[in-house]
Amino acid sequence: MKIELNNRLEEFSPPTLTISELLKIKNFTFKMLVIKINGQLIRKEEYDQSVIKDGDTVMVLHLISGG
Amino acid sequence: MYLDVLLNKTVGIAGCGGLGSNCAVALARVGIGRLILADFDIIVESNLNRQYFFRDQVGQKKVMALRDNLLRINPSVIVEIHDIKLTPDDILRIFSPCEVIVEAFDQADAKEMIIETVLTGFPDKFLVSGVGLAGWGNNNSIQTKQFGKLYICGDGMNEVSETAPPLAPRVGIVSNMQANVVMEILLGSCPGTQDGQKI
C-alpha cells in the first residue's frame, strides 16, 4: 500500500497495517506521540486496532521537551 | 492594512517560558490586538539565558512580569493573564476567544496534552507548536511543518538535556518562527514578498 506519512509518500508491502505495526516498522520508539489518520486523532488505546490502508494520510508527531 | 487586521485578533499563548515570552513579545511589537497568556511558574535566574524577563523580575510570577514587559513595549495591546497550570478543561475555557493558540510548554507530555485537546476540542482553531530547540548551531535544521491547522516549528528532534540546554538563540528562532506563522495564519502571505529563497 502507498500512504502519505508526515507529508511524504511511502510504500509498505502489507495491504494494511495497524498503528502499532507501523510504529514498529518505522522504528518509532518515542513515548510522547500524537497520531492522526486522515485528520482523525487516534488515542494510545487504539494503536493496536486502528488500521491504516492504501491512500491514507497519516501524521505521526513525536513530542520532545524544551521550551 | 495589516495593522488594522492584527488589531482585531486574539492569540493565546500556553506557557510563558522561553517560547511563550519571546513569541508574545514579537506579537506585541507587530501590534496584535489581544493576547491571552497562561503560566503557573515564577521566574528564576536560570530562565534569563533565554526568556524575555529581566534580572530584577526574578521571583515574580511569569504571567505578571510578561504582561508588564509587553505593555512597556506596546501599551495598546490588551493582555489577559491566567496564573494557572493548564488542564484540558482550562484550555477549552481560557482560549475559546482565540483564533490561534501558540503551544509554548516546556515538557513533552504537556505538549502532547494541548495538541490532543485542541485537535479534538477546537477543530476549527489553529495551533502553532514548538518542538525541538535544544543546544546551539545547526540553523538549517529548524523548520515549519504543517498538518492541517497544526503547525510544528523546530527541529523535531533535539530534546533538552544536560549537554543540550535550551538557549536564547535557538529558542528565539523557534519562538519567532511561531510568531511568524501566527502572522501568516492571520494575514495570509505577505504581498510584498516572494516564496522561496535566493541564496
Side-chain angles (χ1 to χ4, degrees), chain B residues 51-102:
Chain B
Q51 305 188 13
Y52 210 108
F53 299 111
F54 299 93
R55 191 155 291 275
D56 59 11
Q57 291 177 317
V58 168
Q60 291 183 26
K61 281 281 182 182
K62 287 186 180 176
V63 280
M64 293 180 189
L66 183 56
R67 177 177 59 187
D68 291 346
N69 296 343
L70 296 173
L71 293 175
R72 282 180 68 187
I73 291 164
N74 180 357
S76 304
V77 57
I78 297 165
V79 184
E80 184 182 317
I81 60 172
H82 296 270
D83 174 15
I84 191 173
K85 184 162 187 175
L86 288 168
T87 64
D89 285 347
D90 298 326
I91 290 165
L92 297 177
R93 183 170 47 85
I94 288 171
F95 295 128
S96 63
C98 306
E99 281 163 77
V100 187
I101 300 164
V102 174

Side-chain angles (χ1 to χ4, degrees), chain B:
Chain B
M1 178 55 172
Y2 78 93
L3 289 170
D4 300 325
V5 178
L6 289 182
L7 207 53
N8 293 308
K9 300 294 184 184
T10 300
V11 174
I13 311 272
C16 297
L19 293 173
S21 63
N22 287 291
C23 184
V25 164
L27 293 172
R29 286 190 194 278
V30 296
I32 200 85
R34 180 177 170 210
L35 289 172
I36 299 179
L37 314 177
D39 198 297
F40 64 95
D41 221 353
I42 59 165
I43 302 161
V44 296
E45 204 173 312
S46 63
N47 297 152
L48 299 178
N49 72 353
R50 65 191 188 283
Q51 305 188 13
Y52 210 108
F53 299 111
F54 299 93
R55 191 155 291 275
D56 59 11
Q57 291 177 317
V58 168
Q60 291 183 26
K61 281 281 182 182
K62 287 186 180 176
V63 280
M64 293 180 189
L66 183 56
R67 177 177 59 187
D68 291 346
N69 296 343
L70 296 173
L71 293 175
R72 282 180 68 187
I73 291 164
N74 180 357
S76 304
V77 57
I78 297 165
V79 184
E80 184 182 317
I81 60 172
H82 296 270
D83 174 15
I84 191 173
K85 184 162 187 175
L86 288 168
T87 64
D89 285 347
D90 298 326
I91 290 165
L92 297 177
R93 183 170 47 85
I94 288 171
F95 295 128
S96 63
C98 306
E99 281 163 77
V100 187
I101 300 164
V102 174
E103 178 281 306
F105 288 144
D106 183 24
Q107 298 298 319
D109 56 348
K111 290 177 186 287
E112 186 188 74
M113 181 272 288
I114 192 172
I115 292 173
E116 284 191 2
T117 303
V118 173
L119 287 179
T120 51
F122 283 144
D124 296 328
K125 291 194 197 298
F126 292 91
L127 180 65
V128 184
S129 184
V131 181
L133 46 77
W136 58 81
N138 221 346
N139 274 351
N140 295 347
S141 66
I142 299 175
Q143 294 183 348
T144 300
K145 296 220 162 100
Q146 184 184 355
F147 304 96
K149 293 193 162 174
L150 169 65
Y151 291 76
I152 308 289
C153 302
D155 65 26
M157 187 166 68
N158 284 302
E159 187 151 41
V160 165
S161 68
E162 234 166 80
T163 48
L167 295 168
R170 285 183 121 242
V171 172
I173 291 167
V174 173
S175 57
N176 280 279
M177 280 177 91
Q178 288 178 284
N180 204 26
V181 169
V182 171
M183 290 191 72
E184 201 168 31
I185 290 167
L186 296 177
L187 299 166
S189 54
C190 179
T193 63
Q194 293 174 296
D195 195 16
Q197 56 188 123
K198 191 140 190 178
I199 55 165

Side-chain angles (χ1 to χ4, degrees), chain A residues 12-48:
Chain A
F12 298 90
S13 32
T16 65
L17 286 171
T18 65
I19 290 281
S20 298
E21 289 166 341
L22 176 77
L23 295 179
K24 207 166 167 192
I25 290 173
K26 294 294 291 181
N27 208 12
F28 289 159
T29 52
F30 321 124
K31 259 180 37 202
M32 293 298 160
L33 292 170
V34 177
I35 296 181
K36 289 201 294 183
I37 303 177
N38 299 328
Q40 189 75 39
L41 186 74
I42 310 295
R43 305 248 164 226
K44 278 197 172 50
E45 312 84 74
E46 303 165 334
Y47 288 179
D48 285 338

